[in-house]
Amino acid sequence: MTQWRRAHEALLLSAPPALLALIVLVPVGTLAAELALAEGALALMGGVLGSAGTWALLGASTALAAAVTGVSGAIGVPLGILLGRTDVRWRGWLLVLHALPVFVPPFLVALGWFHVLGVNGYAGSPATARLFFSPIGLVAILAVTFAPIVTTLTALALQNVDASLEDAARVVARPLRVMGRILLPAVSPAIALGLLVVFALAFSELAVPMFLRVRTYPASVFARLGGIDYEPGEAVAMTLPLLAVTFALLAVERRFVGDRTFAVLGLRGRERATFPLGRWRAGITLMCIAVTALSLIPVLALFMRALPDGLAALPQWIRSSLWNSLITAMAAATTIIVLGLAAAWTIARGHQAGRALDATLMLGFLTPAGVLGVGLITAWNHQMTRFIYGGLAILVLGLIARYAVVGVRVMATAIAQSPRSLEEAAAVFGGGRIAQLRRIVAPLHVRGITAAWLLTLVFCLRDLDTVVLFYPPGREPLTVRIFTLEANGPSDVVAALAVTQIVVTTALLGVLAAAATVDRTRTS
Amino acid sequence: MTPAIALEDVWARQDRTDILKGISLRVVPGEILALIGPSGSGKTTVLRIILGLLAPERGVVRLTGEPVSENRQILVPPDRRGLAVVFQDLALWPHLTVEQNLAFGLDLKRTPRATRAERIHHMLTRVGLSDKARRFPGQLSGGERQRVAIARALVLQPHAVLLDEPLTNLDVVLRSELLALLRSLLAETGATALYVTHQIHEAMALDARIAVLEQGRIVAEGVPQLLAAMPPTAFVRALFADRERG
């Protein structure tokens, strides 16, 4: 291979990941530059940061996110163990149903619980409503919504632990000890990742605190970008502590998670011998059903509220929002997969450049949605870039910046499962890096890539917190439409719109499940 | 004679530990050299350095006299070295059929279609798998996969083939059957071979010259009879004692 060809190949392989990294870095970088250089920014920052209220609110938000993380871990880790590795009845179905809330906007879960626990709810009273509209209600709603992240990662990782490690331990120790001493430490990077993601999502959450009227820091930033507290300069200044939190989270992620999850997470858990629960089986199964019911109750409540008038009125209220959601989410997911495949390969193989790229993409996800939103507005709301900011393209850019890590990590996890020697053999037999990517890596992992695309699509579809800050007038996605209508629209129509969002998401998840269970004989 | 493969004072480091400590080796064209050593002695590292998958910390690697790696630099990339490899885990591409696995390297070398088909057919016939050309690796038995890996390496007609413990985990009967097949194929193609193993009887079945690697150093080199007569280290003595015990 000539030098020129090698340089050409290096360029072709590095340009797409670089572009992806740029999409993430532009809003964060522009915001940082604005904070440092804009006229009067220092005075404004001094005012905001000198206020005790700022720090009190930031502390309260951090405490709320920590509480959500704690409760999610307390639910998710034991449930992940039970559904992942014990003989609880119907554990596969229970895991799928329990995981459903993760894939819909938390705001819809809150809305569903409102129809149950609100004053006029199906099981509501003034007392339940008081509890619901309080910090305790906020923690409970978000914990029930995000706990499945920890459950699923724990269960999947437990199903992917090297069987020989477990077998060697089972020869000398009882199941409980094997679980505590061998399996849980082995899957700890996956659990750590789950808890970190929950903290980031809970800290970033905008719509649920606003709906429950609990003051949080990100909601205050949002309030300064619209409505009665309109003060965009202050909003920018307020993002500084959030940027600090972001970098702290990134440091924690690099220290405790990084690329270690690739070793313990597969896309699809393998069936392993289960730990028998014996006489506890029936009782524990009932307990698991009860926890799973917490995921389904709000969805059922929304269905009941939507019937029959809400669904009938749906066509006249939905407008183009579903189309906007689908088109932007598909464009973002496709871009992430196309630009991210080479990145995922580099990350999976542990190259230095891959680690830097992974950290950059993780930065986009860990950055609170409000900060990312303000950054996107700062970066793109100019006369010259009006063609981007004024249309759906800004939504696509925002979604890519926030969710690139989801698609790339899923692809990297899939690629990391196959031995490096498959690519090395191709290299020795004459395949350059592009040939390896095109002829070995991509076709070998086509199911993993499809799964990555679908999962990214679902994450983009469920987004509300990022896009609510900068959606172009008249082009709002479905989640934003539901959020804005909730304040003064008919409640049965709002419920019907929420049901639409859930049905679309469930259909996509069905396709994802089907893709994952396709016969694997060719790759066995 | 210019050696087909030559390593001159090659060092390798990993995690601040020297894996190879100045090894020198020469394999002449058409020769089979068995590199024997205990686990962790650096055998696979030697192989990866020759293949160009790893750069040596110090020293030179030459193929047919030309330097291909030198002092932390890979001068010639793996695909331009004219080598073929059989990895320990075989590394058969699971999404490609047996035929497509063999065609991969030929395809990239732009071998004409007719020549390619003929060479694949010939090689599959030689390894007894002509009726399984359309199967995927996952549909073959362990011994059949081993044959595919060997066929995939030799169909390229490489200058040299490198084999990294390719017969591990096979039963005794299948192993001796494959060793006989490998020996006859190597003789037929005239390819130089570097065979990494920790089994002395495999080296002897291939009629190979032996180099013993221990703790990153070549501690003995020569024909088996010579090493058996004057074992320079306890490991070499144990190797031949095992052989005698059967």
Side-chain angles (χ1 to χ4, degrees):
Chain A
M1 194 188 297
T2 60
Q3 291 289 334
W4 184 87
R5 239 187 90 190
R6 255 189 283 171
H8 180 65
E9 197 175 72
L11 183 71
L12 279 179
L13 281 172
S14 56
L19 186 57
L20 206 54
L22 201 66
I23 294 174
V24 176
L25 287 174
V26 160
V28 181
T30 312
L31 184 60
E34 181 80 9
L35 284 167
L37 307 171
E39 202 180 324
L42 273 180
L44 208 52
M45 265 192 289
V48 170
L49 300 181
S51 153
T54 301
W55 296 105
L57 194 57
L58 187 65
S61 294
T62 311
L64 282 172
V68 171
T69 309
V71 178
S72 297
I75 298 171
V77 174
L79 200 62
I81 295 170
L82 291 169
L83 299 181
R85 289 308 306 277
T86 69
D87 60 350
V88 162
R89 278 182 190 277
W90 313 299
R91 58 185 182 281
W93 279 107
L94 289 176
L95 185 59
V96 169
L97 295 174
H98 167 65
L100 184 62
V102 176
F103 302 106
V104 296
F107 169 63
L108 298 195
V109 179
L111 199 59
W113 278 111
F114 169 69
H115 290 304
V116 179
L117 299 174
V119 178
N120 299 317
Y122 299 114
S125 69
T128 58
R130 257 198 312 280
L131 203 61
F132 182 69
F133 287 101
S134 74
I136 294 174
L138 175 67
V139 171
I141 298 290
L142 291 184
V144 167
T145 309
F146 296 142
I149 294 173
V150 184
T151 312
T152 312
L153 288 175
T154 306
L156 274 179
L158 281 172
Q159 289 166 357
N160 278 287
V161 173
D162 184 349
S164 59
L165 285 180
E166 187 181 331
D167 294 344
R170 286 188 86 160
V171 173
V172 292
R174 283 182 297 179
L176 208 58
R177 190 162 277 250
V178 173
M179 182 60 75
R181 298 287 294 273
I182 304 293
L183 296 182
L184 281 179
V187 303
S188 60
I191 296 174
L193 176 66
L195 294 175
L196 188 82
V197 168
V198 169
F199 185 89
L201 289 175
F203 188 76
S204 191
E205 182 57 36
L206 208 60
V208 178
M210 289 175 78
F211 179 57
L212 299 184
R213 294 164 218 154
V214 176
R215 283 192 69 216
T216 62
Y217 197 90
S220 285
V221 175
F222 178 69
R224 279 160 177 76
L225 288 168
I228 47 169
D229 291 338
Y230 184 71
E231 189 52 72
E234 237 179 77
V236 173
M238 281 182 79
T239 58
L240 186 62
L242 293 179
L243 273 178
V245 172
T246 305
F247 283 104
L249 283 177
L250 188 63
V252 170
E253 195 272 342
R254 291 290 100 183
R255 173 73 182 80
F256 295 104
V257 184
D259 53 10
R260 275 181 281 176
T261 48
F262 299 142
V264 292
L265 279 179
L267 279 177
R268 197 176 68 126
R270 290 184 279 271
E271 275 302 317
R272 292 272 165 77
T274 52
F275 292 90
L277 294 169
R279 62 197 167 96
W280 300 97
R281 190 182 184 202
I284 290 179
T285 299
L286 272 178
M287 206 177 71
C288 292
I289 292 173
V291 178
T292 304
L294 293 177
S295 296
L296 297 180
I297 287 169
V299 176
L300 287 175
L302 285 171
F303 267 92
M304 286 164 68
R305 189 73 195 86
L307 288 170
D309 299 342
L311 285 174
L314 194 62
Q316 73 187 81
W317 287 90
I318 198 164
R319 299 203 297 218
S320 66
S321 60
L322 180 59
W323 170 250
N324 294 337
S325 276
L326 284 170
I327 197 77
T328 50
M330 283 168 87
T334 307
T335 311
I336 289 168
I337 297 305
V338 171
L339 297 182
L341 180 60
W345 186 28
T346 316
I347 292 167
R349 294 309 177 211
H351 298 155
Q352 203 63 41
R355 289 202 189 100
L357 192 66
D358 186 43
T360 307
L361 301 186
M362 186 52 94
L363 177 75
F365 184 75
L366 295 178
T367 304
V371 178
L372 202 62
V374 175
L376 282 156
I377 294 167
T378 315
W380 296 103
N381 187 12
H382 304 287
Q383 200 54 44
M384 269 179 68
T385 49
R386 176 63 60 189
F387 66 101
I388 290 174
Y389 192 75
L392 292 176
I394 189 65
L395 298 180
V396 176
L397 283 177
L399 294 173
I400 292 173
R402 187 136 169 85
Y403 299 112
V405 74
V406 175
V408 172
R409 275 273 175 117
V410 173
M411 287 193 288
T413 304
I415 294 168
Q417 310 301 315
S418 65
R420 188 190 293 256
S421 58
L422 293 176
E423 295 135 39
E424 291 178 344
V428 174
F429 292 151
R433 287 182 58 78
I434 287 180
Q436 288 173 48
L437 188 66
R438 195 169 61 84
R439 298 187 57 172
I440 305 295
V441 177
L444 192 56
H445 300 291
V446 70
R447 257 194 297 276
I449 294 167
T450 310
W453 184 78
L454 280 165
L455 204 61
T456 313
L457 182 68
V458 168
F459 267 86
C460 292
L461 275 177
R462 78 183 271 291
D463 183 88
L464 166 63
D465 299 331
T466 318
V467 294
V468 73
L469 287 153
F470 52 78
Y471 68 90
R475 301 273 186 92
E476 74 269 38
L478 182 56
T479 50
V480 176
R481 179 98 182 115
I482 299 167
F483 183 63
T484 50
L485 268 182
E486 189 281 324
N488 44 24
S491 70
D492 52 353
V493 170
V494 174
L497 289 168
V499 165
T500 307
Q501 172 85 29
I502 293 167
V503 167
V504 169
T505 305
T506 312
L508 286 168
L509 290 173
V511 177
L512 183 66
T517 50
V518 166
D519 174 53
R520 302 177 92 204
T521 48
R522 285 202 316 161
T523 52
S524 62
Chain B
M1 187 190 291
T2 308
I5 303 171
L7 274 69
E8 297 165 9
D9 191 28
V10 167
W11 290 70
R13 275 177 83 80
Q14 197 172 25
D15 299 331
R16 297 179 192 169
T17 309
D18 287 324
I19 307 288
L20 299 179
K21 299 165 185 168
I23 72 163
S24 296
L25 272 179
R26 287 161 65 89
V27 191
V28 298
E31 183 188 27
I32 304 175
L33 177 76
L35 186 62
I36 299 187
S39 301
S41 57
K43 302 187 295 289
T44 300
T45 307
V46 171
L47 206 113
R48 289 170 62 80
I49 285 177
I50 297 171
L51 286 169
L53 297 171
L54 198 70
E57 188 69 20
R58 239 160 63 196
V60 185
V61 179
R62 293 178 195 278
L63 295 178
T64 57
E66 294 300 317
V68 290
S69 293
E70 198 172 22
N71 302 333
R72 294 189 189 176
Q73 271 192 305
I74 290 177
L75 306 173
V76 178
D79 56 300
R80 302 289 290 173
R81 295 189 173 203
L83 300 172
V85 62
V86 179
F87 283 108
Q88 190 172 5
D89 65 359
L90 305 182
L92 296 177
W93 300 301
H95 63 298
L96 303 181
T97 62
V98 168
E99 194 174 31
Q100 288 167 337
N101 261 278
L102 265 68
F104 183 85
L106 295 171
D107 204 14
L108 291 167
K109 290 184 194 316
R110 299 183 198 285
T111 312
R113 189 186 292 258
T115 316
R116 189 176 64 189
E118 194 256 309
R119 273 164 67 176
I120 290 171
H121 178 72
H122 171 73
M123 191 49 74
L124 286 179
T125 308
R126 281 296 288 114
V127 298
L129 290 174
S130 55
D131 58 333
K132 299 200 168 150
R134 301 278 164 86
R135 299 266 179 97
F136 288 97
Q139 298 168 318
L140 301 177
S141 70
E144 287 170 338
R145 285 185 215 183
Q146 231 94 12
R147 285 163 193 267
V148 175
I150 292 168
R152 187 179 68 177
L154 292 176
V155 78
L156 293 173
Q157 299 177 345
H159 297 308
V161 57
L162 280 62
L163 303 106
D164 187 6
E165 304 192 36
L167 306 182
T168 310
N169 301 329
L170 289 185
D171 64 58
V172 180
V173 178
L174 200 52
R175 197 185 302 161
S176 60
E177 190 187 305
L178 283 171
L179 279 168
L181 174 69
L182 184 60
R183 187 177 163 174
S184 81
L185 283 171
L186 288 173
E188 228 171 76
T189 55
T192 308
L194 179 70
Y195 189 95
V196 170
T197 180
H198 54 262
Q199 305 278 2
I200 188 73
H201 58 263
E202 286 183 16
M204 294 178 79
L206 288 171
D207 206 7
R209 187 166 64 88
I210 291 170
V212 182
L213 187 66
E214 271 187 76
Q215 294 178 342
R217 288 195 174 89
I218 299 290
V219 295
E221 219 177 323
V223 292
Q225 295 79 355
L226 186 70
L227 295 180
M230 286 183 289
T233 67
F235 173 72
V236 179
R237 199 173 308 122
L239 271 180
F240 285 98
D242 275 353
R243 158 98 182 142
E244 278 157 25
R245 278 198 291 272

